[in-house]
Amino acid sequence: MPVPRYLTTDETAELLRTPKGTLAQWRYRGVGPKYSKTEGKVLYSEDHVHKYMRDREHVPSARANVEARLVHL
């Protein structure tokens, strides 16, 4: 079983291309990727960050319409 990789706030912000302050706001508001806090240090599971992004993927409207029509053929 692979050992999970944990990212710092800096690494997570870079991966998500968002400011560190935004991550802090998300934690305060209870949104954003899951995180762990130990001894005052915030860490994000790399797997959870990737899942957070996958869960927010959208298909462009035009493509979704074409795919929906193909399903009904």
Side-chain angles (χ1 to χ4, degrees):
M1 175 183 270
V3 176
R5 180 168 182 249
Y6 289 92
L7 307 172
T8 65
T9 300
D10 287 339
E11 292 168 327
T12 303
E14 184 177 329
L15 182 63
L16 295 177
R17 291 178 167 78
T18 191
K20 292 187 310 184
T22 299
L23 291 175
Q25 289 175 9
W26 288 351
R27 288 192 305 271
Y28 177 78
R29 292 178 19 214
V31 298
K34 292 180 183 180
Y35 66 94
S36 299
K37 194 169 188 179
T38 180
E39 297 180 20
K41 185 175 220 167
V42 174
L43 296 172
Y44 294 86
S45 163
E46 187 174 37
D47 291 340
H48 287 160
V49 174
H50 287 290
K51 181 181 182 327
Y52 174 80
M53 293 303 295
R54 279 192 309 275
D55 290 348
R56 280 148 188 80
E57 288 179 349
H58 294 273
V59 176
S61 298
R63 180 174 160 194
N65 290 335
V66 169
E67 290 176 359
R69 276 189 246 129
L70 292 174
V71 169
H72 291 97
L73 292 179

